Amino acid sequence: MNWKKDLEKIPSRTRAKLLKYIYMNDTICAVSTGNASAAVAIVRMSGPQAVDILNRVVLHARAWQPRVQIFCSLFDGKDVLDKALVTYFQAPHSFTGEDVVELAIHGSPYIKGRLLELLCAYGARPARRGEFSQRAFLHGKMDLVEAQAVCDLIASGNQAAHRLAMNTLDGKLSNRLTQLKTTLAELLAQIEVRLDDVDEEMAPLGEAFITQQIQSVLSHIKALAQTFSVGRLIKDGLKVALVGVPNSGKSSLLNALVGFDRAIVSDQSGTTRDTVEETLDVNGQKIILTDTAGIRDHAVDVAEQEGMRRTVRAMEKADVIVWVTDGSLGVSAAEQNLWQQIKEQHKRTLIVRNKIDQTVVKLDLPADAQGMTVLDVSCKSGQGVQELKETLVKDMDAAESVDGVLISNLRHYEALLRAQTDLEEALLQVNAGGEFLAEHIRKALFYLQDLLGEVTPDDVLGIIFSKFCMGK
């Protein structure tokens, strides 16, 4: 029997439900601590056969007590594979809501691989990416916003990103979205019941009441959406491009900022031919610095031409451009031309007057660059370096949140914008009332429900959880 071909004959919606039933009723396993060698590794099983499979590995049935760690031997046939600490979590009081077994073993790649082979031979199957978290979501242990926060928490590489993910995982964003959803649902119910009241036995709601309810939800949605610009930077890191003419000290500035010799520094102009990237942590915020090739009017060779093209691409990708000038020299014609390229990017720009430990001349900036932030820096003495770091993250440190929450997920941001658009349309329909008003409120409510995973299609859920790491 070719079950795959038979499955294809089933209507797509029925097939999705069938596969979901199959996947939710088998037992999955995976290493939850990565594939690298380590002192200890965790192998996790989840599903209805988890305890039965565990008993086959330890060679005899036990009365496993929930949440009590037991030291025992794991067997490969009659031979001992490893000594392990085993913990049993009974459904529904587990991460996934199913029976879960976690085996803390030695981190040998062989032991991990062989144990997974045994578990699969006894009835489990390898988990897909994010499948443990997906099961937790499907069993109601967390909503979709909180599930995605798990992924962000694992990926967090600095204090700010960690705090952002924890606030979302703690349910702060979910609680706010649930409150807004409830307000819209109650308003929609009152509007719809009056649409069905053909005999007009119910008193009208009143335009002022409807407007106030919509505006209240709309203002909160706008406030949440506006936090995305900073939340994205906190999650992914602030991308900073160091640009300037050759020999202005960009590579020296990169080294001064990161605290070690990351880029080659030479008195010869045009040394940097490619972009050099390094990550920096400032006040718990992630900064991604990119040192670029110097921009001048005429490149000496093909390699320098390519370097300058990459500089332009780095500016296009950057969140902030740092224009590095040589403080011992005046603003040259090449720098005037460079400023025009910087200006075309429409990015936040800081001007660094470098080499102030030498004789400094007046910084004669272009007319349309007057009034911009100028920082004096000496890469040799370190003067001004810390001030530059703090200036870069100033907006991120001062970011305003909504009840401690910042939006950092593009999917969340786009859903909020769609809800915002429909609520703005609903305000225009208040006077007219009727089905058009109800439809726009209904759409806005749908986007909030989609955010929480209440109406999200299975194929979209599959895409979301496939981005999780293995074993989570």
Side-chain angles (χ1 to χ4, degrees), residues 98-119:
E98 304 173 325
D99 280 349
V100 170
V101 172
E102 292 187 351
L103 302 97
I105 60 176
H106 291 94
S108 153
Y110 171 75
I111 294 175
K112 290 185 290 186
R114 184 55 184 157
L115 178 57
L116 288 176
E117 288 178 3
L118 291 171
L119 298 180

Side-chain angles (χ1 to χ4, degrees), residues 311-458:
T311 297
V312 174
R313 287 201 294 270
M315 287 194 290
E316 292 171 348
K317 295 177 181 178
D319 302 302
V320 178
I321 295 174
V322 175
W323 179 17
V324 184
T325 67
D326 187 337
S328 65
L329 303 172
V331 177
S332 64
E335 286 182 307
Q336 294 277 357
N337 293 334
L338 172 59
W339 165 245
Q340 296 304 315
Q341 295 184 56
I342 294 174
K343 189 172 64 171
E344 290 172 1
Q345 299 298 325
H346 303 289
K347 302 285 180 68
R348 179 189 170 203
T349 302
L350 303 177
I351 301 173
V352 168
R353 183 163 61 170
N354 198 12
K355 305 182 184 181
I356 62 165
D357 52 283
Q358 302 178 18
T359 302
V360 178
V361 300
K362 181 181 178 181
L363 184 60
D364 189 16
L365 293 172
D368 51 1
Q370 300 291 336
M372 296 187 64
T373 301
V374 179
L375 301 171
D376 289 341
V377 171
S378 169
C379 298
K380 184 175 291 186
S381 69
Q383 180 182 343
V385 173
Q386 185 60 33
E387 182 184 0
L388 173 58
K389 291 180 182 180
E390 293 175 356
T391 301
L392 287 170
V393 299
K394 182 179 179 181
D395 291 344
M396 297 164 72
D397 287 338
E400 293 186 4
S401 62
V402 178
D403 296 336
V405 173
L406 295 172
I407 299 295
S408 62
N409 189 296
L410 180 60
R411 178 177 173 272
H412 298 170
Y413 177 63
E414 290 177 341
L416 289 172
L417 288 185
R418 293 189 185 102
Q420 176 182 323
T421 298
D422 271 295
L423 289 179
E424 288 171 343
E425 289 293 328
L427 283 176
L428 299 176
Q429 299 291 336
V430 171
N431 292 336
E435 186 58 41
F436 287 114
L437 170 63
E439 181 61 21
H440 285 300
I441 296 176
R442 194 178 294 116
K443 285 182 179 179
L445 180 60
F446 172 85
Y447 293 129
L448 295 182
Q449 292 173 322
D450 182 45
L451 264 178
L452 293 165
E454 296 174 2
V455 294
T456 308
D458 288 341

